[in-house]
Structure formats: C-alpha cells, structure tokens
Amino acid sequence: MSAIIQANPLEKLSQEPLPTGDSCVLIIFGASGDLTKRKLMPGLYNLACEGCMNPRFEVLGIGRTPMNSEEFRKKTGEAAAKSRDTRGFSESGWTDFEQRLNYMVGDINDPSFYPQLRTRLEEMERTVRARTICSMCRRPRP
C-alpha cells in the first residue's frame, strides 16, 4: 500500500524555539588540545548563536600550554572559523561568544594546582552564581 503526500509550499513550518540552558561555569580540562578546538568550541558557539546559552554561561579552559585568556580566545576562534561543525561563523558572533571564554594554565596531576582552581572558580561564581560542570578532554593514561 502506498500513499501520496503533497506538500503545500506556502505553508510555513513552525518550529518551537530551543530552550535556554541554566547559568553555569563549564570547566574544560585539556582545553588547549585538539578536541576542544575541533568539536567543543564549534558546538558551544553554535548553541550560543541559536540562543540556547544562558547569558550567565562561562567557560574556564584549563591546559598545560602557557597562554592567557586572550590567546585562548584567538586560537579557539581561528579553529572554530575553519571547522566544518561551526554553522554560519561570523566575526561579530564570535566577538559576542568569546567574552565567555577564560583560560588558566594548570596541570591536573599537580596537587598545588587545585587551590588555584578553587580561587578562580570562586571569583567566577561571584558573577555567574551558577553550578559548575566539568569536561575532561585529555588522552587516557597508558
């Protein structure tokens, strides 16, 4: 049995707006690595452009590569602009999004790093007033 369905090109498809997430601080361990540049940043940028990201959503990238937040924003922005996973990249869209990005040098295997991380999170949480989510973007140890 077959059916013929005719579409009316004048009928507009209605799409519900996507939900906006809660405010939070997303910590990305291994933020200077390839996975963050190729997948995470394009995905987060897309969410922000679609209006799914709360205005109080912040990212704290942590990596062993020495750089400051400005350098982190520049490197991830260049990668997002080239990524096939980024939808409709624009400089103005990135400028709005990159304000949410922060970077901190640290080695998660060094116990003296964690008090520094705590201090940084306490500073960020004063303005964001949100929960913390962690993402591990690092190679497993052999």
Side-chain angles (χ1 to χ4, degrees), residues 30-91:
S32 57
D34 186 56
L35 180 62
T36 300
K37 288 184 244 176
R38 282 187 312 106
K39 296 293 181 182
L40 279 179
M41 283 305 152
L44 291 172
Y45 171 79
N46 291 340
L47 287 173
C49 289
E50 291 292 330
C52 297
M53 199 170 276
N54 189 297
R56 291 179 140 175
F57 182 96
E58 300 256 346
V59 175
L60 176 58
I62 296 171
R64 292 180 296 180
T65 303
M67 69 177 122
N68 60 31
S69 292
E70 277 304 312
E71 293 167 313
F72 178 65
R73 292 173 186 138
K74 185 174 190 262
K75 286 183 180 195
T76 54
E78 290 168 354
K82 295 175 187 173
S83 174
R84 289 182 283 154
D85 294 322
T86 305
R87 292 184 223 128
F89 184 86
S90 72
E91 286 297 326

Side-chain angles (χ1 to χ4, degrees), residues 14-43:
S14 65
Q15 184 176 355
E16 294 288 322
L18 296 171
T20 301
D22 293 335
S23 59
C24 72
V25 175
L26 171 63
I27 303 172
I28 303 173
F29 292 97
S32 57
D34 186 56
L35 180 62
T36 300
K37 288 184 244 176
R38 282 187 312 106
K39 296 293 181 182
L40 279 179
M41 283 305 152

